[in-house]
Structure formats: C-alpha cells, structure tokens
Amino acid sequence: MSTVQMLNAQFGIDGHLSFNEDASGLIIAMIENSSAKAALCLQGGHLMTWQPVDQSVPVVWLSRDAKVAAGKSIRGGAPVCWPWFGAHASESSFPGHGFARTVPWRLLETGVEPGGATRLRLRLENSEKTLAQWPHACQLDLNIYVGETLRMELVTENTGSEAFVIGEALHTYFQIGDIGAVRVSGLEGCEYWDKVGGSNLRRQTGSIAFAEETDRVYINTAAECVIEDERLKRRIHVSKSGSQSTVVWTPWVEKAEKMGDMGQPDGWREMVCVESANALENLVTVAPGTCHSLVVEYRAVNIA
Ligand code: BG6
C-alpha cells in the first residue's frame, strides 16, 4: 500500500477528508464538509487554504505561484513559525521563523466534531536536524478544526526537566479584495516595533490602512483584530488566546517582486498577514511538565 492509500484507510473520513500526493511527493489533506473546504500539507502542518461555503473566494489565501517542495515553506496559508519568530537570536544559518514550517509532521488523529467541523491532530516529527537546532525535550502539536470557523491550536509541551523559551506565530495570509482598500482594526493604542526602515517603537492611532510596505510587531496585545474589506464586502475576525503579539505584514511591490512566489503580476495586493504571535518582549517560557497553547479562531462575516 502507498502512503496515500494508508492515510486514506486510517484517517480518511467520507464526506470530510481524503489525502492526495502532490507532484512533489508531499501529502496534502483535502478537507471538504458541509461548512467549508480547506487543504493542509503534512509537511509543516501547513494549512494552505480555507473557504467557508458562504464565501465566494477563500478566506485564507494561497499564492497562485506557491511552490510545494520538500524542505521549503509554502507561500500563503498559515505557516507555523516555531520555536523562534524571525531570525534566530544567535545562529544566522538557522532558518528564519524556525524549522516547524519546513519539516515533516505526523498525523495522530482525525474526526468530526459535534457541530460538524472536521478535526485533524498533528505532531511535529523530531529529528537529528530539529534537535541540533532545538536541543530541548518537547512536543509540538497542532489541532485544526475546519468548519464555518477555522480554529487552530498550537500546543507546546515541555517533556523535560528544564524550562525553555519559545517564539512562535501562526503566520496567516488572509485573502482580500485589494490591499489599498482594507483596514485592520483592533490594535488602536497598541505599541509596535516598526520593522520598516530600522526598528522603531511606535504607537498605533486609529485602524491600520496600507499604502506602502508594512511590517510591524504589535506587542502586549491579545485583542481580536478585524480585517474590513470593502471590495469583497466582508469582515474577517481574527481572535486568539495565548498570544501577546500580533504581526501585520504586507510586502508591497519591490519586496514582493524579490520574493518571486507571491503570484504574478500583483498577487501580493490580494493578501494581508495578520499573525497571532509571541515575539520580541512576548517570548514564552515553558516550565517543565507544562503546556503552552497559542489558539486562533477565524470567522468571515459578509457585509451588505
Ligand atoms: C513576517 C515578517 O512575519 O514574515 C516579515 O515580519 C517577513 O519581515 C515575512 O518578510 C515573510 O517571511 P518569509 O520568511 O515567509 O518570507
């Protein structure tokens, strides 16, 4: 039996979940139930897209030029950044945003929730490579619930006898009508590190509108954010717990061109990242024998 056949036999659910092999050989879980459809790459535990049935376009964006390849992160979806966010504090050869998004994860369990959402539980596979970069006794699980809302729980368990410190994010790309016509609210009054043109601490006044590259780490905030989208006539609600940082990012023209996988000619205009994170001064210490959970829930509401 091939891996796909085994996964379908063990974890497939009629009317909810099946598995395919991508041209690259990576396995994709295809989820489709009466509330939504979604896809998830087992490498990286990477939710690639999510579209509730009452939405004409996805809520979680996947670049049309996204490449699915072994050891590479996929452009779009909800990359899992862990156990550090951004550059590693001391080792420049270690991957940006950590290794979790580019290594294999194992499916532990699938099922259907009482309300009809499809549930998947995955665990990062530790290897010599991950342990070389992160020599701690720990287990990282991701629970995903695909329904009319999308819920993701990233659970870090310290299985050893010494505390460790993590940075992390669910680095979600949201699909929007046009970056020039959306506003993100919920962060009014918050302090943020502005990563464009140096690193300066500023304070947000009003909601956020976009007219240039924006790369900000809002700190000490657990607030719900709302992406107000005039063009697609919807609001996306991003709520979270166990997260004290929110990263808001759009690359704009030049950076998007350099990245090369944002979707030609201007796919970058159709996305904005609102990332639920623990970064910079909000790193998390996980004590021995304890768990830390970063939980997000997304919901799209149509507006007249
Ligand atoms: C954001 C960072 O979280 O991720 C940006 O704040 C970065 O600085 C962006 O450019 C994309 O990162 P990557 O590694 O997925 O290209």
Side-chain angles (χ1 to χ4, degrees):
M1 249 201 211
S2 70
T3 310
V4 167
Q5 284 169 329
M6 281 194 298
L7 285 167
N8 276 314
Q10 196 182 348
F11 295 111
I13 308 173
D14 279 346
H16 278 268
L17 177 62
S18 62
F19 298 87
N20 285 338
E21 190 173 322
D22 182 78
S24 63
L26 296 178
I27 307 285
I28 313 287
M30 305 298 297
I31 301 126
E32 185 155 10
N33 56 39
S34 57
S35 303
K37 58 184 178 185
L40 176 130
C41 183
L42 295 193
Q43 174 178 278
H46 196 135
L47 189 280
M48 295 165 71
T49 180
W50 169 63
Q51 182 172 357
V53 286
D54 66 348
Q55 298 300 312
S56 53
V57 294
V59 174
V60 173
W61 178 86
L62 179 67
S63 167
R64 50 183 167 268
D65 289 345
K67 293 177 194 75
V68 176
K72 301 264 183 268
S73 181
I74 300 165
R75 182 66 63 197
V80 176
C81 303
W82 187 95
W84 57 87
F85 180 81
H88 186 272
S90 53
E91 290 292 336
S92 58
S93 63
F94 288 1
H97 289 334
F99 52 76
R101 61 182 180 162
T102 55
V103 301
W105 289 57
R106 185 160 50 92
L107 201 54
L108 295 181
E109 191 216 331
T110 60
V112 179
E113 292 293 284
T118 311
R119 179 182 75 248
L120 296 93
R121 197 151 80 83
L122 298 105
R123 178 165 296 166
L124 183 139
E125 303 254 37
N126 283 314
S127 65
E128 254 175 50
K129 186 178 151 194
T130 64
L131 290 168
Q133 296 184 10
W134 181 249
H136 300 285
C138 92
Q139 200 161 272
L140 182 67
D141 285 1
L142 180 64
N143 305 319
I144 300 185
Y145 304 84
V146 177
E148 59 192 40
T149 68
L150 175 70
R151 180 180 169 91
M152 290 186 282
E153 305 166 346
L154 185 66
V155 185
T156 305
E157 183 180 356
N158 185 336
T159 55
S161 54
E162 280 170 31
F164 55 70
V165 177
I166 56 164
E168 58 183 345
L170 288 167
H171 184 309
T172 309
Y173 292 73
F174 291 99
Q175 181 143 351
I176 54 174
D178 184 79
I179 190 69
V182 294
R183 299 192 81 93
V184 175
S185 61
L187 297 165
E188 297 80 353
C190 290
E191 278 189 314
Y192 65 92
W193 288 101
D194 190 348
K195 290 164 69 182
V196 175
S199 197
N200 299 300
L201 190 62
R202 305 186 198 279
R203 191 174 293 278
Q204 180 67 35
T205 48
S207 59
I208 308 164
F210 302 91
E212 59 190 344
E213 181 188 353
T214 304
D215 192 356
R216 302 175 179 177
V217 182
Y218 289 83
I219 51 171
N220 306 325
T221 174
E224 177 184 78
C225 288
V226 179
I227 303 167
E228 315 257 355
D229 190 338
E230 279 298 314
R231 293 275 171 89
L232 293 181
K233 297 266 175 278
R234 70 182 179 191
R235 284 193 196 106
I236 301 172
H237 292 254
V238 179
S239 60
K240 62 175 190 168
S241 64
S243 157
Q244 284 295 314
S245 315
T246 298
V247 181
V248 177
W249 176 63
T250 174
W252 223 256
V253 187
E254 241 173 77
K255 197 162 179 190
E257 269 170 15
K258 281 194 202 128
M259 293 166 80
D261 59 359
M262 291 298 290
Q264 289 302 327
D266 51 6
W268 63 273
R269 295 200 71 96
E270 297 160 9
M271 52 86 19
V272 65
C273 283
V274 177
E275 308 164 31
S276 299
N278 287 302
L280 304 175
E281 38 270 84
N282 298 135
L283 298 182
V284 176
T285 301
V286 187
T290 68
C291 284
H292 157 76
S293 299
L294 187 170
V295 179
V296 298
E297 190 151 354
Y298 308 141
R299 167 167 74 89
V301 179
N302 293 319
I303 48 179

